Amino acid sequence: ALGSRLALAWVEDPQASTSKIVLEVLDPDGNPGATTSILAGGQVQGTMWMLGAPDETGLILAWSEQGGGTDAVRVARFDCVGG
């Protein structure tokens, strides 16, 4: 949560070899607000983790991915979701 807003993240096509992660922030009434996406370096594996900033202006998203014979943990900061 980002204050009274809710941030959601999901993988658009879990079977793709390169995952597209979509991030969307909903307003207090559940209406879509800021939306963006990021391409992972491989296929996202398991659960993604998200942490909102204390000042409610951004968040950090972390995930693990597999691709090219290697496993990696990735972290991305989104600071364009201000209220």
Side-chain angles (χ1 to χ4, degrees), residues 1-6 26-29 56:
L2 291 168
S4 61
R5 297 171 298 146
L6 178 65
L26 305 178
D27 72 14
D29 295 321
E56 303 173 9

Side-chain angles (χ1 to χ4, degrees), residues 2-3 7 9 13 15-18 23 31 36 38 44-45 49 51 54-55 57 65 67 70 74 76-78:
L2 291 168
D13 181 2
Q15 301 305 315
S17 60
T18 300
L23 174 70
N31 299 311
T36 191
I38 185 172
V44 172
Q45 303 291 309
W49 302 272
L51 178 64
D55 66 1
T57 61
E65 62 184 49
T70 62
R74 305 283 187 207
R77 184 179 101 187
F78 298 87

Side-chain angles (χ1 to χ4, degrees), residues 3 8-9 16 19 23 27 30 32 34-35 39 57 62 67 76 79-81:
L8 304 172
S19 297
L23 174 70
D27 72 14
T35 302
L39 287 177
T57 61
D79 58 357
C80 58
V81 294

